[in-house]
């Protein structure tokens, strides 16, 4: 019987949930922006986890500011996650901006202009 999810996907979902709890609490004091964790991708050897975030409002300056703050504190997040998530080895966290929400709204806007 084939597995429904691979181990990397399960670990990615576990990390996404844990990071989603830590990141907004940290940024609440330092930023007036709304940040959410949209997805994670874990490398096959579990050494790196790519964490994709969305930022509202999503102007370039705000996104760069949040990514810089998160990158500077990635070791602290990793330390905190190591105490809450039970893994043999905690992957290094790399933060990336997820532009899919912005792209989706642009496509939606274009489709509405074509219809009307």
């Amino acid at each position: 019987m084939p597995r429904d999810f691979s181990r990397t996907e399960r670990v990615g979902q576990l990390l996404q949930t844990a990071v989603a709890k830590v990141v907004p609490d940290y940024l609440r004091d330092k930023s007036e922006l709304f940040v959410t964790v949209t997805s994670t991708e874990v490398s096959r050897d579990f050494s790196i986890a790519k964490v994709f975030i969305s930022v509202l409002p999503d102007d370039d300056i705000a996104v760069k500011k949040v990514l810089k703050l998160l990158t500077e504190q990635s070791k602290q997040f990793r330390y905190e996650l190591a105490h809450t998530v039970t893994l043999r080895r905690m992957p290094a966290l790399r933060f990336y901006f997820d532009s899919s929400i912005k792209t989706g709204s642009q496509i939606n806007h274009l489709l509405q202009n074509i219809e009307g």
Side-chain angles (χ1 to χ4, degrees):
M1 186 166 140
R3 294 183 185 176
D4 291 337
F5 297 100
S6 69
R7 179 161 159 68
T8 56
E9 290 173 346
R10 289 192 312 261
V11 170
Q13 290 174 350
L14 181 67
L15 286 175
Q16 178 180 351
T17 304
V19 172
K21 291 178 184 176
V22 173
V23 168
D25 290 338
Y26 171 77
L27 290 177
R28 189 171 297 139
D29 298 336
K30 299 183 180 185
S31 176
E32 299 295 324
L33 303 169
F34 184 69
V35 178
T36 56
V37 178
T38 58
S39 66
T40 55
E41 292 178 5
V42 180
S43 64
R44 297 192 78 151
D45 63 352
F46 301 102
S47 63
I48 297 173
K50 293 181 180 179
V51 180
F52 295 93
I53 61 164
S54 66
V55 180
L56 290 176
D58 62 351
D59 62 337
D60 290 336
I61 296 170
V63 170
K64 288 179 183 178
K65 177 183 175 183
V66 169
L67 287 175
K68 181 180 177 189
L69 285 171
L70 293 176
T71 302
E72 289 172 352
Q73 293 299 317
S74 64
K75 288 184 181 180
Q76 180 66 29
F77 293 140
R78 187 177 180 189
Y79 177 79
E80 289 181 30
L81 291 175
H83 291 318
T84 58
V85 177
T86 305
L87 291 175
R88 186 176 300 172
R89 184 167 76 174
M90 183 59 61
L93 302 175
R94 308 267 168 86
F95 292 95
Y96 298 93
F97 176 65
D98 185 4
S99 62
S100 63
I101 295 172
K102 187 175 185 178
T103 304
S105 69
Q106 290 173 346
I107 291 171
N108 190 25
H109 179 67
L110 289 173
L111 290 174
Q112 287 177 351
N113 286 342
I114 290 172
E115 291 175 359

